[in-house]
């Protein structure tokens, strides 16, 4: 069935060992409505690992700056310590540490799967649930510790 | 980045494990000297062994981050020229972090900032 006015183009399907020529529409429809997707817990665990990783990467320069500042003099150190104890900085530190905790927990899960532990579908789902669960508990405990 | 990706895969795991150990070490050091004073902080980073371990951790961090971010970039940026530019920038930034951290830890403390 050919629509009026629809442009077609030649394209290739790559099977690895051979390429097959096909004719496809120029403007192929895209369906990326994320609100309509079903996301398994394993997918959530995976994307959180990626997001926390990128976030931590963006935080690196601030950590390095803090390190530099902390060495400059006892007064600098004291000032930094007090600043980090302020409510806003406590909150930001909590968020950063939460990202770190999740990234490590999910990372350990990755390592376990590399050894072969938890590679089945059901084990994978459980592992994803545990990663998120352990992180939530740790983050809540950390939050309480920071407030106190 | 490496031809089969195997080298990167291994390095990503090794650096991850080293960083995990370093974080545990750091946590122990901080908890042992709580509340933390400038003099403890400075002497910790003046210790040669700790400096070496920290420098290794810095290398591990930059390498680990590079492999991770490279993967993310490759997943989302498909146009070759744009990808090249972004990858190069990220690489340079991580290299800069490495030098900055190394200078901080080795020279900044030894000779006084």
């Amino acid at each position: 069935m050919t629509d009026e006015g629809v442009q077609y183009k030649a394209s290739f399907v790559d099977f690895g060992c051979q390429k097959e020529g096909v004719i496809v529409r120029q403007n192929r429809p895209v369906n990326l409505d994320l609100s309509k997707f079903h996301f398994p817990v394993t997918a959530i665990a995976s994307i959180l690992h990626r997001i926390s990783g990128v976030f931590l990467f963006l935080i690196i320069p601030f950590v390095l700056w803090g390190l530099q500042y902390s060495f400059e003099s006892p007064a600098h150190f004291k000032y930094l310590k007090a600043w980090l104890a302020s409510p806003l900085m406590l909150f930001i530190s909590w968020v950063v540490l939460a990202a770190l905790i999740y990234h490590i927990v999910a990372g350990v899960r990755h390592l376990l799967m590399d050894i072969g532990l938890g590679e089945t579908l059901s084990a994978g789902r459980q592992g994803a649930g545990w990663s998120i669960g352990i992180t939530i508990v740790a983050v809540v405990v950390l939050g309480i510790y920071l407030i106190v | 980045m490496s031809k089969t990706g195997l080298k990167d895969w291994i390095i990503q795991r090794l650096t991850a494990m080293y960083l995990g150990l370093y974080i545990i070490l750091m946590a122990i050091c901080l908890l042992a000297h709580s509340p933390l004073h400038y003099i403890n902080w400075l002497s910790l980073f003046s210790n040669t062994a700790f400096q070496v371990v920290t420098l290794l951790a810095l290398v591990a961090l930059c390498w680990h981050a590079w492999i991770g971010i490279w993967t993310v970039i490759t997943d989302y940026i498909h146009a070759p020229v744009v990808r090249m530019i972004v990858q190069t920038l990220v690489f340079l930034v991580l290299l800069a972090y490495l030098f900055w951290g190394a200078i901080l830890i080795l020279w900044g403390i030894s000779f006084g900032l």
Side-chain angles (χ1 to χ4, degrees):
Chain A
M1 175 191 104
T2 311
D3 296 312
E4 285 241 1
V6 176
Q7 301 271 34
Y8 289 87
K9 65 174 182 181
S11 185
F12 290 97
V13 178
D14 194 335
F15 290 108
C17 47
Q18 66 173 37
K19 272 195 167 129
E20 209 172 85
V22 293
I23 308 288
V24 298
R25 291 169 72 116
Q26 192 85 292
N27 302 317
R28 308 180 77 175
V30 171
N31 182 13
L32 273 183
D33 186 352
L34 288 175
S35 65
K36 300 264 184 341
F37 278 37
H38 163 247
F39 293 113
V41 67
T42 46
I44 308 240
S46 177
I47 193 63
L48 281 179
H49 196 210
R50 175 167 281 198
I51 292 172
S52 61
V54 174
F55 177 71
L56 288 167
F57 164 71
L58 295 172
I59 294 294
I60 292 176
F62 298 98
V63 174
L64 286 176
W65 172 85
L67 198 65
Q68 175 169 10
Y69 194 86
S70 72
F71 292 136
E72 280 186 44
S73 79
H76 282 89
F77 181 85
K78 208 166 155 192
Y79 185 81
L80 183 67
K81 211 171 155 192
W83 184 61
L84 285 175
S86 69
L88 176 65
M89 285 319 296
L90 269 184
F91 177 71
I92 292 178
S93 307
W94 180 66
V95 171
V96 170
L97 285 170
L100 184 63
I101 289 171
Y102 180 76
H103 196 81
I104 292 178
V105 169
V108 167
R109 175 168 168 258
H110 260 294
L111 291 175
L112 289 173
M113 288 178 101
D114 287 340
I115 306 176
L117 299 172
E119 281 188 306
T120 64
L121 177 59
S122 65
R125 285 193 182 130
Q126 283 174 39
W130 277 100
S131 301
I132 296 173
I134 291 174
T135 302
I136 290 177
V137 170
V139 163
V140 166
V141 170
L142 177 67
I144 295 173
Y145 171 77
L146 286 178
I147 291 175
V148 167
Chain B
M1 263 201 18
S2 63
K3 200 149 171 229
T4 57
L6 180 62
K7 192 177 117 192
D8 295 326
W9 187 87
I10 291 177
I11 290 174
Q12 197 181 40
R13 268 66 180 167
L14 289 179
T15 53
M17 289 188 261
Y18 185 85
L19 285 167
L21 289 175
Y22 182 81
I23 286 173
I24 292 174
L25 174 66
M26 183 60 104
I28 293 175
C29 289
L30 289 178
L31 287 172
H33 289 102
S34 171
L36 192 64
H37 295 297
Y38 179 73
I39 194 83
N40 304 118
W41 187 238
L42 198 63
S43 59
L44 178 67
F45 278 89
S46 302
N47 178 285
T48 306
F50 190 77
Q51 282 176 341
V52 172
V53 167
T54 300
L55 204 49
L56 282 174
L58 196 57
V59 171
L61 177 65
C62 290
W63 211 341
H64 185 88
W66 166 244
I67 296 174
I69 301 290
W70 178 89
T71 307
V72 176
I73 290 173
T74 313
D75 273 352
Y76 298 136
I77 304 179
H78 302 121
V81 175
V82 178
R83 192 172 73 234
M84 270 249 72
I85 293 173
V86 174
Q87 274 175 352
T88 308
L89 284 174
V90 170
F91 186 83
L92 285 176
V93 157
L94 280 169
L95 202 56
Y97 291 160
L98 184 60
F99 288 145
W100 181 17
I103 290 172
L104 272 190
I105 296 162
L106 297 184
W107 299 343
I109 302 175
S110 307
F111 298 121
L113 275 165

